[in-house]
Amino acid sequence: MMTSADIRQAFLDFFRSKGHEIVPSAPIVVKNDPTLMFTNAGMNQFKDYFLGNKPAPFKRVADTQKCLRVSGKHNDLEEVGVDTYHHTMFEMLGNWSFGDYFKDEAIEWSWELLTVVYNIPKDRLYATVFEGDVKEGIPASSIALAKWKSLLPDEHIVFGNKKDNFWEMGETGPCGPCSEIHVDCRPDEERKKIPGHTLVNKDHPQVIEIWNNVFIQFNRKKDGSLEPLPATHVDTGMGLERLVRVLQGKTSNYDTDIFTGTIAETEKITGKNMTSAIARQL
Ligand code: SER
């Protein structure tokens, strides 16, 4: 079984092999950006490259970013402690293209990494595609759809609206349509009874999103309008804790080697059984 350290390293090695520079995680407290207090996504530190304010030193980068989602637009606080896969602080694996490759390559490589390197069975994977939004004047994502159709059967592709398939960093800033990858971790018997596509984005504890591929094409302005950016970019984010749980065959992120050592040590120090405390809470 791969450890969480192996899984993290395999991600970085894979994107290095595709020409990406591996860069460090940014600090969790955001400096020089009044629109954001804490880093809530891997892309925050690259905001100026997306907006065209600064040239990117590399066209392709990848990293693993410490993120905190406790306030603002991306706030997971209400979910933490009531399910098995949200955290206030977590690690996000990401790869980026600054005006370089776009939807086809991003989707192709996410598929290759998940199914060839990590060996996740293809029939457990589902992809979501942006259905478009008339009010925003954005059409459905035909390129992402065509790419997914070349990789997955139709019943494994789910259309999503602006809430699930249009990613924005905050009230203002870089944004664009996205295509998520979900994994169905239910036992075969259950999968036969209820098709996985009906459970995507429905808060099912065993059918969870693991990776978001965002195609940054716009800047959301203060007046709410969307301004097309001079170049198009890729911003992806995969939750390390969720990926590890899938690859280690667990039903909860807390049962992976990311948490079990800390939980065991806490039990030793406090003399309390944390596992049953967590189970009771969940
Ligand atoms: N910015 C996107 C997210 O946080 C993809 O990295 O989901």
Side-chain angles (χ1 to χ4, degrees), residues 40-44 67 69 74 90 92-96 167-169 178 209 211-214 216 235-238:
N40 67 12
M43 56 77 72
N44 298 162
C67 297
R69 290 197 169 177
H74 300 281
F90 63 98
M92 190 184 273
L93 302 164
N95 59 289
W96 288 272
W167 199 86
E168 309 201 32
M169 176 178 147
C178 61
E209 178 197 344
W211 203 347
N212 193 10
N213 277 249
V214 183
I216 302 269
D235 152 33
T236 89
M238 175 152 59

Side-chain angles (χ1 to χ4, degrees), residues 30-127:
V30 176
K31 305 203 172 82
N32 312 322
D33 185 350
T35 69
L36 199 64
M37 189 173 288
F38 300 113
T39 293
N40 67 12
M43 56 77 72
N44 298 162
Q45 64 167 318
F46 308 123
K47 184 176 172 182
D48 281 336
Y49 307 153
F50 292 129
L51 296 179
N53 297 338
K54 265 193 208 163
F58 307 100
K59 289 227 162 286
R60 301 176 180 189
V61 305
D63 72 9
T64 172
Q65 173 67 50
K66 293 182 281 288
C67 297
L68 199 57
R69 290 197 169 177
V70 291
S71 57
K73 193 168 180 64
H74 300 281
N75 184 352
D76 286 342
L77 267 183
E78 298 303 320
E79 266 75 44
V80 176
V82 293
D83 70 21
T84 54
Y85 56 101
H86 281 92
H87 306 285
T88 50
M89 185 185 157
F90 63 98
E91 214 175 306
M92 190 184 273
L93 302 164
N95 59 289
W96 288 272
S97 154
F98 306 121
D100 189 28
Y101 65 85
F102 204 38
K103 300 183 182 182
D104 272 336
E105 295 90 334
I107 292 173
E108 177 86 34
W109 290 338
S110 58
W111 182 252
E112 184 184 337
L113 180 62
L114 293 178
T115 61
V116 179
V117 177
Y118 291 136
N119 267 316
I120 300 180
K122 293 178 183 166
D123 68 346
R124 289 187 175 271
L125 292 171
Y126 291 83

Side-chain angles (χ1 to χ4, degrees), residues 21 35 159:
E21 182 73 18
T35 69
F159 284 96

